[in-house]
Amino acid sequence: MINPLRNFTKKKIGGLILIFVIIIAFGFGGFGGGFSTGNQNNIAKINNTNISTQDFMDYLNQSGLSQQVIKENIDKNVIEELLSSLVSATLLNLEIKDLNLVVSDKIIAEILKKNKNFLDENGNFKRTLYEKFLLSNSMSAAMYEIKLKNNVLQRELFAYISGGAKSPKFLTDKYFIENNRKLDIEFIKLNRFYKREDEFTNQEIKIFIDENSEKLKQDYIDFSYVIITPKNLLGVDEFNQAFFDAIDEIDNKISKNIDFKTITNELNITVITKKDYINLENKETIENKIYNSRKKEIEILEDNGTFIFYQIDNVIQKLPNLNDERFAKQITNLLFQKEKFEFNKDILNQLDKNEFNQASFDKLGNGEVEKTQLNSIKDINKFENNSVKILYTLPINTFTLIADREDNIFIAKVMKLEDTGISPDSNIFNAISNEASAENRNGILKSYDYLLNNKYNVIVNEKTLDRVKNYFR
């Protein structure tokens, strides 16, 4: 429990620092632009409702993301995703207001008093447990209750939109038949047509390497590291605040550009050194974790209750030696995957062009066609879930490529189907009716989503958004 609590605290502090930095940037004109004169503090607009930069800052603060996390994910659209979430939440609030949905303080109080996190062993609400929860999450009672109220209102909105979508009997029957029909399938496992990894000749391997030499070059690194535990750092077995304070102190020294050798000499922990290291097998080892984090020259990694403090001393990019069995295995695996992809792609092209027929299937099977029966759309004993769903959408005598959970690929044909009805007196009828109703609600909510897209016009201030992103780069 110690590490999660510690990480949570750091995350919160990082989030607060981030917001402070952004406030300075906005407050002193670091960001600008707007929809029109006088609106340079708006980052988005929904119809006539503005989302200000202050709104966005508050939302970022609540997300708990640190400046470093945002910086590392800036090119993965983290800012856009956060803004999109804020726009979605604002849009729902506008819709709640438009429909005059309300939740009384009495209802919120009742929900709080029923929350099992705030109940003692006798099931009684304890204010002290509630206050402890607020304190541990750095929230005030008002802030938490506003969030709770918004969540309740959103649930009411979705219940208002789709709450009456009870499936009639004929739709329940249709839903049951479509999802519980039996499918007879013929299939051919394609693995036997692929060239095995041990069948590639040295000449084929050499040609592949020559054609892809630049892509196959890999980083060889020299690095040093120490394993830090409470035992070797403080002489104790348990994690305690003194240990985490020591880790934080190392972090501070790194930020002050104090070199690895100086820090490790002070720690008096044995340094492990690796030369010309490469991760060719991707096993879960400390060295491979350091290798995978090599873009950072010096860092502390957490690894199963220990901390790894490392420094990358040198990086050389070169082509691995083919005499290295691990590299040779990588190459033959790449050749195997390439051959497999091209074979499957050829069949897929034939299917797309309607050139694959019964004669093609029989020729490919060559007397080794297998058969099976699927009992329902949830029958994933033979094939993986998405493949089964595809099979249930196809008409009889149709061919398709499917897979199992071990990523084996098959060409399959739907031979016949057998429908089974359900009686209203069946003990599972109500459960099936509920499933059908849930599917109907999903359809209604999708339609509601289209309605919202037409009802609300969302405009993003791209100039302000770009400046926010550039600030974190």
Side-chain angles (χ1 to χ4, degrees), residues 169-186:
K169 182 180 180 303
F170 79 94
L171 285 181
T172 301
D173 289 340
K174 180 175 181 291
Y175 175 85
F176 180 83
I177 290 170
E178 289 178 349
N179 289 280
N180 291 276
R181 60 171 45 118
K182 298 182 185 300
L183 291 187
D184 286 344
I185 307 295
E186 287 188 349

Side-chain angles (χ1 to χ4, degrees), residues 350-351 354-363 399 413:
Q350 293 180 52
L351 290 170
N354 292 321
E355 295 174 354
F356 193 93
N357 52 32
Q358 186 63 45
S360 307
F361 188 76
D362 293 338
K363 181 179 179 181
F399 300 95
K413 178 186 178 183

Side-chain angles (χ1 to χ4, degrees), residues 192-305:
R192 60 191 174 94
F193 300 103
Y194 308 143
K195 195 170 183 177
R196 296 198 313 269
E197 292 184 32
D198 59 2
E199 292 178 333
F200 292 101
T201 66
N202 290 335
Q203 182 65 16
E204 287 175 311
I205 293 172
K206 185 178 184 306
I207 291 172
F208 181 80
I209 292 174
D210 290 341
E211 291 177 347
N212 300 276
S213 59
E214 287 301 315
K215 295 179 182 178
L216 292 172
K217 285 183 178 180
Q218 298 186 40
D219 288 342
Y220 283 77
I221 67 172
D222 300 339
F223 63 94
S224 307
Y225 71 95
V226 294
I227 301 172
I228 306 174
T229 66
K231 187 69 175 178
N232 65 17
L233 189 63
L234 301 175
V236 298
D237 293 321
E238 295 182 355
F239 290 92
N240 55 29
Q241 191 58 48
F243 176 77
F244 290 127
D245 288 343
I247 295 295
D248 287 337
E249 181 60 26
I250 297 172
D251 267 332
N252 291 334
K253 290 178 180 179
I254 293 172
S255 67
K256 293 176 181 177
N257 295 320
I258 298 176
D259 63 86
F260 177 84
K261 186 175 180 180
T262 299
I263 298 174
T264 52
N265 283 341
E266 292 174 357
L267 294 175
N268 195 26
I269 299 175
T270 303
V271 175
I272 301 169
T273 301
K274 295 290 180 180
K275 298 288 186 181
D276 218 26
Y277 187 87
I278 183 171
N279 176 12
L280 284 174
E281 295 179 312
N282 208 30
K283 293 181 179 178
E284 285 291 320
T285 65
I286 290 174
E287 287 82 4
N288 284 347
K289 287 185 177 181
I290 294 173
Y291 183 89
N292 294 337
S293 303
R294 64 191 179 279
K295 289 184 179 179
K296 294 186 177 180
E297 291 184 3
I298 183 168
E299 191 184 14
I300 298 178
L301 296 175
E302 194 170 350
D303 178 57
N304 297 324

Side-chain angles (χ1 to χ4, degrees), residues 53-70:
T53 51
Q54 183 63 55
D55 295 330
F56 191 46
M57 287 186 283
D58 292 341
Y59 192 76
L60 281 170
N61 191 20
Q62 293 170 13
S63 76
L65 293 177
S66 69
Q67 185 178 10
Q68 184 64 28
V69 169
I70 290 189

Side-chain angles (χ1 to χ4, degrees), residues 13 18 25 39 50 104 119 155 170 174 189 198 217 237 262 271 274 280 284 310 323 348 367 433 442 461 472:
I13 292 172
L18 164 67
N39 282 333
N50 292 320
S104 69
L119 305 181
R155 287 200 299 269
F170 79 94
K174 180 175 181 291
K189 192 173 184 177
D198 59 2
K217 285 183 178 180
D237 293 321
T262 299
V271 175
K274 295 290 180 180
L280 284 174
E284 285 291 320
Y310 74 85
N323 292 328
L348 191 61
S433 178
N442 287 336
N461 188 339
F472 288 106

Side-chain angles (χ1 to χ4, degrees), residues 130-171:
Y130 178 43
E131 291 174 351
K132 184 178 179 181
F133 167 83
L134 295 173
L135 184 63
S136 64
N137 286 280
S138 302
M139 297 177 71
S140 66
M143 186 188 302
Y144 178 72
E145 287 164 23
I146 287 172
K147 279 190 171 185
L148 180 60
K149 189 171 185 177
N150 287 337
N151 289 338
V152 173
L153 283 169
Q154 287 181 14
R155 287 200 299 269
E156 281 202 4
L157 172 63
F158 294 128
Y160 177 86
I161 298 303
S162 61
K166 180 68 176 174
S167 179
K169 182 180 180 303
F170 79 94
L171 285 181

